Amino acid sequence: MRDGDHLAGHRGPASGVYPVGVAPDDVVMGDFDGDGLPDLAVANGSSNNVSLLIGNGAGAFAPPINFASRGEGPTALAAGDVEPDGDVDLAVVNNFSNTVAVGLNRAGPVPGVSFGSPR
């Protein structure tokens, strides 16, 4: 919840607002690019994709890179090392297609990050 320029319950100004896909439903934090800094993944329910925002370590994030959710209506995300190879992978719940898509973290458009076909 926002309270002026501050997030309610937190000290200091909000770091920023970032555009993502249509109807964002869920967000998870993880080190998706392996640089030791937190990044964000956002499930976008109506655009059927996941937005990945790479963190800079100072509370700000790069513009999103969108990946296909490999299903319809992504509503929830889970991050963890599925393989295990030391990389944070991503599971996406697709509500309308009744599927869970698991994206293994591979080298891609962002060094060390790719969860499927960028879109």
Side-chain angles (χ1 to χ4, degrees):
M1 300 178 74
R2 289 191 61 84
D3 175 21
D5 287 335
H6 295 81
L7 293 174
H10 298 274
R11 293 182 181 187
S15 295
V17 175
Y18 300 90
V20 291
V22 180
D25 286 320
D26 195 19
V27 62
V28 295
M29 188 179 302
D31 180 14
F32 297 109
D33 62 352
D35 64 358
L37 303 173
D39 308 309
L40 299 175
V42 181
N44 302 306
S46 291
S47 53
N48 295 323
N49 63 10
V50 174
S51 296
L52 182 64
L53 293 87
I54 302 298
N56 69 2
F61 297 89
I65 299 167
N66 295 319
F67 294 92
S69 66
R70 293 187 279 164
E72 294 182 32
T75 57
L77 300 170
D81 189 5
V82 175
E83 292 182 276
D85 60 0
D87 297 327
V88 180
D89 305 309
L90 197 60
V92 182
V93 173
N94 293 298
N95 189 44
F96 299 136
S97 57
N98 299 316
T99 61
V100 174
V102 177
L104 301 177
N105 196 337
R106 303 279 189 242
V110 174
V113 177
S114 177
F115 296 105
S117 303
R119 158 170 126 163

